Amino acid sequence: MHFLRSPLVLFVADLALALLAWWLAFWLRFNLDIPEEFVQLALASSPWCVLAYGVGFAFARIDRQVWSYIGLPELRQLAIGIVLSGTLTAAGVLMLRLHAFPRSTLLLQPLLALVLMGAARAGWRTFAERRLVARQGKPVLILGTLPQASDALRALKGSSQWQPVGILSPQPDEVGRSLQSVRVWGTPAETARVAQTLAVRALLVASPPGASGRREMLLQAADTGVALLTLPRPDEWLKSDGAGPRRLELEDLLGRESVQLDVASLSGLLSGQTVLVTGAGGSIGAQLCRQIARFGVRRLVCVDICEFAVYQLEQELREAHPQMQGCYYTANVREPARLLAIADKHRPAVVFHAAAYKHVPLMEELNAIEALRTNVAGSWHAARAAGVCGAGRFVMISTDKAVNPTNVMGASKRLAELMVQSAAQAFAGTHYVSVRFGNVLGSSGSVVPLFTRQIATGGPVTVTHPDIVRYFMTIAEAAQLVLQAGLMGRSGQIFVMDMGEPVKIIELARMMIRLSGKTELEIPISYTGLRPGEKLFEELLANDESSVATPHPKLRIAKTSRQGLPDVASVLQWIGDADPEPEEAIRAWLRTLVPEYLVR
């Protein structure tokens, strides 16, 4: 039946239907009995009708339509083509000056043509969809309101894997209604009952990220043991050929909306430029490199102390961006001469400083001096290298743990922010900013990889405290907002990201267990107690800080009442001369520079 899909065959079929409508118009005009003399008129004018419709349809591109996927846009296009063709037909008949021609047929014929051609298309689409349903595979329930389910049904059209058999709507007034012959069986709270009734083991989430009540709906559905699916994100559609529903991931459950980037301005900042990234082998640094490479930089200079991380990044970027010149260095930000030599050789226009120690318990005990040497001194060395080599912008990755810090790591990052502000005063030609954000899903040292390993080994999943909460965002979102912040504000400012609603770690653990297809009876959760330096909740602003809005909805600027900045030379000298032990001396020194630092 492939020949029936040929544009030529469908075009001829349309002309045949137009001709049929022409005769039907005469037939209806004369009450189903056409007089002989008008039969001759109809025959004489028929060629002109076919010619007019051929011209009109070709002009309106009707021949390009695919009947199996006809929709409202195609019907509007068809109506335009028929109106144009009917006008040409009427003009031709009037020019032929046919005696006693029944002009009412000139109005009836386009209407009949629209009915016939629309019905033919609707019938063909119905036939094609029924053939498809007959060979479809697994039944699936759709979770979402009717407008959201409509989008999901449209995305599933043509799928050979999934057959929608019902809808679960969070709006009770929609229960009992139907959409495209698919019934709304109940609410998300009734997932288990409906899934058992319809014998389905998969639920397609149509509710978009950020939708009200989405997380609660998903938790209700996850409790039933039904596999959760979602439609691919726009970037996934671009990366895959004909991507269909995929398993729901933790990032989807958290419901983070996509970041809107100022692409034009970022292209102007990065395209054709040299960009340097420290800590390029880490989770955030590597994602920054991926995002930066998308904007067509001329040269990307990647610096990291870990040889294997640099090697992995080099292999990935060489394959993904063969046209980009990449320079990959194994270097330590603690070594100012080495860092300055790299910056002086390449003269980057923009520097992103992501190198840091960030694991709170490790830096709290035995390694406090290491946090200072890397997070504080290393940040100054990177900032100074950017200023000396004439970089236009310097962006440092900070953390929400720098706000009212209760641990060495957080206090060291707060001091690093102050060192960057000192660099802004010392090097007026470079634009310096810091960007704070919270936990990043899947980053090294985060709880997500830990929970994944614990679930894979059968548990238990260890949570420090039942009430502990954290802010979370995806790696891609964090990197994109760092890029965006690099464009904005004045030198010396600190940007704070909109982290959304905080997530209880116990809830995160439960979601991950459910996503793995297990229950808490199979994978237990145990509490281990707060670790050294850890607090129950994180903050995005210190007690003496406020924030002001920026043009970007997910970025704000932290405003502090602090007066004065630390003396850089004395800070570096103290860190260089400090004895790693006792660590209490390090904490006491940090409190003199970061008064909001509270030891717990």
Side-chain angles (χ1 to χ4, degrees), residues 79 123 125 127 136 194 213 216 262 317 335 409 421 448 466 474:
R125 174 170 173 172
F127 171 72
Q136 277 183 333
V194 176
E216 289 71 20
D262 185 351
L317 293 182
E335 301 171 355
M409 195 283 285
Q421 289 179 322
V448 174
T474 68

Side-chain angles (χ1 to χ4, degrees), residues 46 74 97 151 154 170 182-183 191 194 201 245 284 319 325 349 423 426 431 441 445 449 530 556 570 591:
S46 289
E74 288 77 18
R97 297 182 180 276
D151 294 337
R154 190 179 304 113
V182 181
R183 178 182 169 184
T191 301
V194 176
R201 299 295 298 167
I284 296 299
E319 181 178 349
Q325 180 184 354
H431 186 101
L441 287 176
L530 291 176
R556 299 183 68 85
S570 62
R591 281 195 295 271

Side-chain angles (χ1 to χ4, degrees), residues 394-559:
F394 176 91
V395 183
M396 186 189 78
I397 311 299
S398 189
T399 172
D400 57 359
K401 293 175 178 61
V403 179
N404 295 328
T406 60
N407 49 68
V408 170
M409 195 283 285
S412 70
K413 291 298 285 184
R414 175 57 184 144
L415 183 53
E417 291 177 351
L418 299 175
M419 299 292 275
V420 170
Q421 289 179 322
S422 296
Q425 293 185 356
F427 302 97
T430 301
H431 186 101
Y432 290 87
V433 298
S434 299
V435 187
R436 289 177 187 163
F437 54 85
N439 297 272
V440 175
L441 287 176
S443 66
S444 57
S446 75
V447 297
V448 174
L450 172 63
F451 287 174
T452 300
R453 290 193 299 272
Q454 291 175 336
I455 292 170
T457 57
V461 172
T462 56
V463 177
T464 56
H465 193 282
D467 297 325
I468 192 168
V469 296
R470 290 291 182 266
Y471 292 99
F472 283 95
M473 67 195 322
T474 68
I475 291 179
E477 181 183 10
Q480 289 168 354
L481 286 175
V482 167
L483 291 178
Q484 189 67 52
L487 286 171
M488 303 168 64
R490 298 191 307 273
S491 186
Q493 289 182 328
I494 299 172
F495 285 86
V496 180
M497 292 186 184
D498 172 16
M499 297 296 297
E501 294 297 321
V503 176
K504 295 187 72 171
I505 299 300
I506 182 65
E507 181 180 302
L508 181 69
R510 287 170 179 159
M511 286 192 290
M512 292 188 65
I513 291 171
R514 293 165 188 170
L515 281 179
S516 72
K518 304 291 185 179
T519 66
E520 289 177 48
L521 293 177
E522 298 171 288
I523 307 290
I525 296 175
S526 65
Y527 298 104
T528 60
L530 291 176
R531 296 172 298 180
E534 196 171 41
K535 55 183 179 180
L536 285 177
F537 59 92
E538 302 292 359
E539 304 158 278
L540 296 178
L541 292 172
N543 294 334
D544 65 341
E545 290 180 334
S546 60
S547 69
V548 295
T550 72
H552 197 282
K554 288 195 173 186
L555 289 171
R556 299 183 68 85
I557 298 172
K559 306 291 289 186

Side-chain angles (χ1 to χ4, degrees), residues 195-535:
Q196 184 176 11
T197 300
L198 300 179
V200 300
R201 299 295 298 167
L203 180 69
L204 177 62
V205 180
S207 177
S212 176
R214 184 175 189 265
R215 189 188 304 170
E216 289 71 20
M217 290 190 297
L218 293 177
L219 289 174
Q220 286 177 324
D223 280 332
T224 66
V226 177
L228 298 179
L229 307 174
T230 188
L231 293 172
R233 296 182 293 269
D235 59 325
E236 293 174 328
W237 282 107
L238 293 173
K239 292 177 183 176
S240 56
D241 184 15
R246 58 168 175 79
R247 294 281 300 196
L248 202 74
E249 297 172 355
L250 184 60
E251 297 175 7
D252 304 302
L253 283 176
L254 293 177
R256 301 291 297 179
E257 296 180 0
S258 59
V259 177
Q260 300 300 317
L261 291 177
D262 185 351
V263 175
S265 297
L266 281 172
S267 295
L269 174 67
L270 301 174
S271 180
Q273 300 293 331
T274 295
V275 178
L276 187 150
V277 180
T278 71
S283 306
I284 296 299
Q287 185 63 33
L288 268 174
C289 291
R290 297 183 191 105
Q291 298 288 344
I292 292 167
R294 291 172 46 215
F295 288 95
V297 294
R298 182 174 63 88
R299 181 187 298 125
L300 182 58
V301 183
C302 304
V303 178
D304 197 282
I305 193 173
C306 177
E307 176 192 27
F308 183 61
V310 171
Y311 167 75
Q312 286 184 309
L313 183 65
E314 177 193 26
Q315 295 301 304
E316 177 185 344
L317 293 182
R318 283 188 188 279
E319 181 178 349
H321 303 279
Q323 77 288 348
M324 182 188 73
Q325 180 184 354
C327 301
Y328 303 91
Y329 289 92
T330 55
N332 195 334
V333 294
R334 296 182 182 185
E335 301 171 355
R338 168 73 165 157
L339 202 58
L340 185 58
I342 294 172
D344 186 58
K345 177 179 179 180
H346 296 288
R347 295 282 170 175
V350 185
V351 175
F352 291 94
H353 177 54
Y357 282 133
K358 57 185 179 181
H359 197 276
V360 170
L362 282 180
M363 295 301 106
E364 192 67 18
E365 296 180 337
L366 308 179
N367 298 302
I369 191 61
E370 304 303 317
L372 297 184
R373 288 170 179 169
T374 295
N375 294 356
V376 180
S379 295
W380 169 257
H381 298 327
R384 179 175 177 273
V388 170
C389 76
R393 293 176 185 269
F394 176 91
V395 183
M396 186 189 78
I397 311 299
S398 189
T399 172
D400 57 359
K401 293 175 178 61
V403 179
N404 295 328
T406 60
N407 49 68
V408 170
M409 195 283 285
S412 70
K413 291 298 285 184
R414 175 57 184 144
L415 183 53
E417 291 177 351
L418 299 175
M419 299 292 275
V420 170
Q421 289 179 322
S422 296
Q425 293 185 356
F427 302 97
T430 301
H431 186 101
Y432 290 87
V433 298
S434 299
V435 187
R436 289 177 187 163
F437 54 85
N439 297 272
V440 175
L441 287 176
S443 66
S444 57
S446 75
V447 297
V448 174
L450 172 63
F451 287 174
T452 300
R453 290 193 299 272
Q454 291 175 336
I455 292 170
T457 57
V461 172
T462 56
V463 177
T464 56
H465 193 282
D467 297 325
I468 192 168
V469 296
R470 290 291 182 266
Y471 292 99
F472 283 95
M473 67 195 322
T474 68
I475 291 179
E477 181 183 10
Q480 289 168 354
L481 286 175
V482 167
L483 291 178
Q484 189 67 52
L487 286 171
M488 303 168 64
R490 298 191 307 273
S491 186
Q493 289 182 328
I494 299 172
F495 285 86
V496 180
M497 292 186 184
D498 172 16
M499 297 296 297
E501 294 297 321
V503 176
K504 295 187 72 171
I505 299 300
I506 182 65
E507 181 180 302
L508 181 69
R510 287 170 179 159
M511 286 192 290
M512 292 188 65
I513 291 171
R514 293 165 188 170
L515 281 179
S516 72
K518 304 291 185 179
T519 66
E520 289 177 48
L521 293 177
E522 298 171 288
I523 307 290
I525 296 175
S526 65
Y527 298 104
T528 60
L530 291 176
R531 296 172 298 180
E534 196 171 41
K535 55 183 179 180

Side-chain angles (χ1 to χ4, degrees), residues 135-217:
R135 65 173 187 266
Q136 277 183 333
K138 305 172 186 176
V140 63
L141 281 169
I142 297 176
L143 174 62
T145 62
L146 286 180
Q148 294 164 354
S150 176
D151 294 337
L153 289 170
R154 190 179 304 113
L156 288 176
K157 196 70 68 180
S159 171
S160 59
Q161 287 185 296
W162 303 101
Q163 178 183 353
V165 295
I167 299 170
L168 296 173
S169 173
Q171 298 184 6
D173 59 329
E174 293 182 348
V175 176
R177 302 175 67 182
S178 64
L179 179 68
Q180 300 180 30
S181 301
V182 181
R183 178 182 169 184
V184 181
W185 288 88
T187 63
E190 302 172 88
T191 301
R193 176 186 64 80
V194 176
Q196 184 176 11
T197 300
L198 300 179
V200 300
R201 299 295 298 167
L203 180 69
L204 177 62
V205 180
S207 177
S212 176
R214 184 175 189 265
R215 189 188 304 170
E216 289 71 20
M217 290 190 297

